[in-house]
Amino acid sequence: MIRAERLNDIVHYLRRMHQAVTAETLAKTFEVSPRTIYRDIQSLIDTGVPINGEAGVGYVIDKHYHLPPIMFDADEIEAIALGIGMVSNWTDQAFANKAQSAFKKIQATLPPLLLHELHQISTFSEPSHYKIPWEVSFTEVRECIRRKHKIQFNYLDLQDRTTQRTIWPLALVSFSPVWLLAGWCELRQTFRNFRLDRISGFETLKQSFPNERDKNLKAYLAQVEHD
């Protein structure tokens, strides 16, 4: 890693931390010596980055500090392009349009060298006939998750039995080629996963759901990890 990249990454790292970070921790993270970290921190301070602290105690950064435009390396650009291609091919048109819009904004900030690298990308995501179609609006589901609106729908299980469910939607999870809607099911009083392609009669309810500790996304992810 060249020094300019490391300095930028140190700033990002400190912004993510909620407590002071020692030079030794930074040295291990960036695989350099503590002495190098001391010099890097001083260089950042000299250029106006609001880092407070001292050697042996730890460093913190003012969270109100605004970073300059983010720069990417060639591999990061390729990863972003691949991710945007996958969004375009495996979600819906509205979300694909947002992904393409974001990528155009990123391209507009790239220097000529990285634009050249972008045109040399050799990792792609293409449309697939294995994609399983669904009737529900992918974008509407995302909005319900974001706005914490309850939803109601008919669900056809793998035994071809249909039940009506009221769900607190928490996340959309891709198990290609299947998309799952994860949420708290009022009928079963537990977390459940629902295949989008088996949902019909989808309805967004006016009622919102609270962020209860045992029914939120964090609790869902903890259960998945435990299982």
Side-chain angles (χ1 to χ4, degrees):
M1 178 185 294
I2 63 175
R3 187 166 188 258
E5 291 180 353
R6 187 175 66 250
L7 292 176
N8 186 65
D9 289 348
I10 288 173
V11 173
H12 282 285
Y13 185 89
L14 291 175
R15 280 175 58 85
R16 295 196 302 270
M17 297 298 105
H18 299 292
Q19 57 188 15
V21 182
T22 65
E24 287 72 18
T25 298
L26 290 170
K28 290 179 180 178
T29 300
F30 295 100
E31 299 180 344
V32 294
S33 69
R35 185 179 296 274
T36 297
I37 293 296
Y38 298 148
R39 290 197 295 264
D40 287 348
I41 293 294
Q42 189 58 54
S43 294
L44 288 168
I45 293 172
D46 291 343
T47 59
V49 179
I51 296 175
N52 298 309
E54 58 186 41
V57 176
Y59 301 100
V60 294
I61 190 170
D62 185 347
K63 296 300 190 296
H64 294 96
Y65 173 66
H66 294 285
L67 291 168
I70 298 173
M71 296 304 297
F72 304 98
D73 62 29
D75 288 336
E76 290 170 335
I77 288 295
E78 186 162 358
I80 291 170
L82 176 60
I84 286 174
M86 296 177 73
V87 168
S88 299
N89 294 322
W90 291 97
T91 61
D92 66 355
Q93 191 58 53
F95 204 28
N97 291 342
K98 289 295 184 180
Q100 293 297 331
S101 174
F103 197 45
K104 288 178 181 177
K105 291 177 181 178
I106 291 172
Q107 290 183 65
T109 68
L110 296 178
L113 180 60
L114 282 182
L115 278 175
H116 174 75
E117 292 286 352
L118 183 64
H119 296 147
Q120 305 302 313
I121 283 177
S122 57
T123 307
F124 302 97
S125 172
E126 292 294 335
S128 171
H129 66 276
Y130 291 107
K131 181 179 179 181
I132 300 176
W134 54 78
E135 297 179 4
V136 63
S137 167
F138 191 89
T139 293
E140 186 176 358
V141 175
R142 289 195 305 109
E143 283 297 312
C144 290
I145 293 171
R146 179 180 294 114
R147 300 181 183 279
K148 296 187 180 300
H149 279 298
K150 291 185 180 183
I151 59 176
Q152 191 174 75
F153 54 78
N154 298 318
Y155 190 69
L156 180 66
D157 66 21
L158 296 179
Q159 285 73 46
D160 292 331
R161 298 172 301 196
T162 301
T163 53
Q164 187 178 72
R165 305 297 183 101
T166 299
I167 303 299
W168 303 11
L170 300 174
L172 283 164
V173 185
S174 174
F175 285 92
S176 184
V178 174
W179 273 97
L180 299 181
L181 167 61
W184 176 264
C185 177
E186 291 190 354
L187 177 65
R188 304 303 186 199
Q189 285 296 296
T190 189
F191 294 114
R192 283 288 188 268
N193 296 317
F194 303 91
R195 286 176 49 159
L196 287 191
D197 58 295
R198 290 181 167 268
I199 291 175
S200 62
F202 184 93
E203 181 182 359
T204 300
L205 303 181
K206 294 182 179 180
Q207 184 180 5
S208 60
F209 59 90
N211 183 29
E212 295 187 12
R213 291 181 59 184
D214 61 340
K215 300 180 180 67
N216 60 19
L217 180 58
K218 184 177 180 180
Y220 167 79
L221 294 173
Q223 178 175 296
V224 169
E225 184 177 352
H226 182 266
D227 292 343

